[in-house]
Amino acid sequence: EAHDCADSIPKLNKMVTGVQALGNIRVFCRCRPQNKDDISAGCATVVDFDAAKDGDLGILNGGSTKKTFKFDRVYTPKDSQVDVFADASPMVTSVLDGYNVCIFAYGQTGTGKTFTMEGTEQNRGVNYRTLDQLFEITKERSETFTYNISVSVLEVYNEQIRDLLATSPTSKKLEVKQSSGGSHHVPGILEARVNSTREAWNVLQAGSNARAVGSNNVNEHSSRSHCMLCIMVRAKNLINGECTNSKLWLVDLAGSERLARTDVQGERLKEAQNINRSLSALGDVIYALATKSSHIPYRNSKLTHLLQDSLGGDSKTLMFVQISPSEKDLSETLSSLNFATRVRGIELGPAKKQI
Ligand code: ADP
């Protein structure tokens, strides 16, 4: 069925005028269970969940000193995918109301970023549950709204954007461009129109599978690239004819760990520098929004440039900071928690209403 909202102005652009750097950021901290290696090595646990219900996470440093970090939510290893999505779901719904949303998972490799976002077939993660909820609500609202939903799947590796839905590799470099309406997109990228959770999931799986192509080790490659799903929603209100465009980014970031200096040479050094640069750029953008800087450095990395419409303005951002419970990972855990704390500092209260 034809949908005549193709050229409608994205909601963000209507809203952003005169509203400087309003942010709406939530940070949820999730700790993975101890794994076989932790247990067989007799590795001590450094996390304390006594006050997890209040969003407090205790970290035992050097046995006795305890440092407490505060988040919007803290999940223990016992909390399920259902528990986690229950907290994320209001943000997902807001996409259908015209908001841009970004949900991303940050942390050291092996701490559960992919588990949280993608999950497993028995234990679906945020991505699948998001699609399911979107289609469920569009059905409920079908008398008042028509929705067009399409998806793109991208990867950012070494500061290069790759279209994971493209059937043949293109030599043309993919770049982020700003449209006349002010929103950001990547010309030439494939957008697959989808009508159901199953259809969308199949497209996303095809995209995920394409990540492996051209790399020797799939797991290593995934941990060094950002996997980015974009769900684009075009809504038309059947009563007043109003149209909105909005998008939801679901991002499984590259592993945040620092590599030992001696391990890093050649290609690996370049990868490590690119990851470091893009994750720092993400932190810098959010910090600039928090401090209402007149310049938000979106263009310092492909990651932040791609996410530009969904960071700042009246968009909503949710970060999962993923951690390990194990003493051997303590320094990475502290570094992730510190990054997340800086991000959380930007919570700026309710957005001012536009007149
Ligand atoms: P990352 O994407 O951060 O590298 P993964 O998602 O691959 O980490 O997780 C590493 C391993 O730990 C996987 O086998 C995953 O299934 C398991 N895991 C992570 N988080 C959880 C959790 N909350 N509950 C059960 N298993 C988990």
Side-chain angles (χ1 to χ4, degrees):
E1 188 194 333
H3 196 283
D4 56 3
C5 281
D7 299 320
S8 64
I9 303 160
K11 186 176 193 312
L12 181 72
N13 300 309
K14 279 192 265 172
M15 297 293 293
V16 86
T17 332
V19 182
Q20 269 295 303
L22 287 172
N24 195 350
I25 301 239
R26 296 279 169 276
V27 181
F28 295 175
C29 178
R30 191 178 198 190
C31 182
R32 72 154 166 78
Q34 281 204 305
N35 61 28
K36 276 201 205 112
D37 288 350
D38 298 331
I39 294 164
S40 66
C43 206
T45 286
V46 292
V47 280
D48 168 1
F49 296 112
D50 284 354
K53 284 208 163 45
D54 303 324
D56 288 342
L57 176 81
I59 294 287
L60 302 167
N61 199 348
S64 54
T65 355
K66 195 167 100 178
K67 191 166 179 200
T68 304
F69 292 87
K70 180 118 195 117
F71 296 107
D72 297 290
R73 288 275 186 284
V74 170
Y75 300 104
T76 76
K78 289 200 189 101
D79 288 319
S80 69
Q81 302 282 60
V82 173
D83 297 328
V84 169
F85 188 70
D87 296 325
S89 96
M91 280 210 170
V92 169
T93 306
S94 68
V95 175
L96 297 176
D97 299 324
Y99 288 89
N100 288 333
V101 174
C102 174
I103 301 179
F104 63 88
Y106 178 99
Q108 179 188 4
T109 297
T111 52
K113 292 183 297 298
T114 307
F115 186 80
T116 292
M117 298 309 290
E118 209 175 297
T120 63
E121 209 162 316
Q122 295 76 35
N123 233 333
R124 302 282 197 195
V126 167
N127 296 352
Y128 187 93
R129 290 171 200 274
T130 291
L131 290 165
D132 218 27
Q133 179 171 319
L134 288 179
F135 286 108
E136 195 57 42
I137 299 176
T138 57
K139 243 184 271 160
E140 282 166 18
R141 295 187 183 175
S142 63
E143 284 180 16
T144 342
F145 288 92
T146 55
Y147 288 100
N148 269 358
I149 299 185
S150 52
V151 292
S152 292
V153 189
L154 312 179
E155 176 182 74
V156 175
Y157 174 70
N158 271 342
E159 282 303 282
Q160 287 185 3
I161 300 169
R162 195 170 141 210
D163 181 355
L164 294 180
L165 297 184
T167 43
S168 56
T170 144
S171 53
K172 207 172 147 269
K173 218 170 169 199
L174 294 170
E175 295 290 351
V176 184
K177 294 265 152 55
Q178 192 165 13
S179 71
S180 53
S183 66
H184 293 79
H185 63 118
V186 183
I189 212 93
L190 286 178
E191 294 179 10
R193 172 83 191 272
V194 285
N195 295 299
S196 66
T197 308
R198 177 172 288 270
E199 222 177 277
W201 189 248
N202 288 342
V203 172
L204 300 191
Q205 288 299 107
S208 285
N209 293 339
R211 287 184 96 183
V213 177
S215 65
N216 303 327
N217 182 323
V218 184
N219 289 334
E220 279 192 6
H221 179 79
S222 318
S223 70
R224 291 181 205 145
S225 59
H226 309 300
C227 183
M228 310 181 64
L229 315 177
C230 188
I231 303 174
M232 287 144 287
V233 177
R234 253 175 222 152
K236 184 177 182 186
N237 183 321
L238 296 171
I239 295 160
N240 62 18
E242 207 176 84
C243 293
T244 52
N245 281 350
S246 47
K247 61 184 159 189
L248 166 62
W249 282 105
L250 297 165
V251 183
D252 186 347
L253 290 169
S256 59
E257 62 275 6
R258 297 294 167 101
L259 301 175
R261 237 169 229 221
T262 45
D263 291 350
V264 186
Q265 291 160 0
E267 249 334 271
R268 291 291 310 271
L269 177 63
K270 190 172 150 199
E271 278 175 351
Q273 286 170 334
N274 279 318
I275 294 168
N276 190 13
R277 189 186 339 153
S278 59
L279 294 178
S280 305
L282 183 61
D284 292 344
V285 161
I286 297 175
Y287 184 76
L289 289 166
T291 51
K292 306 195 175 184
S293 166
S294 58
H295 173 66
I296 314 292
Y298 291 110
R299 292 183 180 215
N300 282 356
S301 74
K302 290 284 186 294
L303 175 70
T304 47
H305 205 182
L306 279 163
L307 296 179
Q308 179 157 353
D309 299 342
S310 300
L311 294 172
D314 69 340
S315 58
K316 304 184 183 200
T317 303
L318 169 59
M319 167 177 175
F320 285 100
V321 55
Q322 300 278 153
I323 57 164
S324 151
S326 167
E327 185 163 35
K328 71 172 166 26
D329 295 319
L330 181 59
S331 75
E332 289 301 339
T333 298
L334 288 172
S335 136
S336 295
L337 294 172
N338 286 329
F339 180 93
T341 299
R342 182 177 184 231
V343 163
R344 191 172 182 272
I346 94 135
E347 213 179 288
L348 294 170
K352 267 186 228 149
K353 276 267 172 292
Q354 279 291 90
I355 307 150

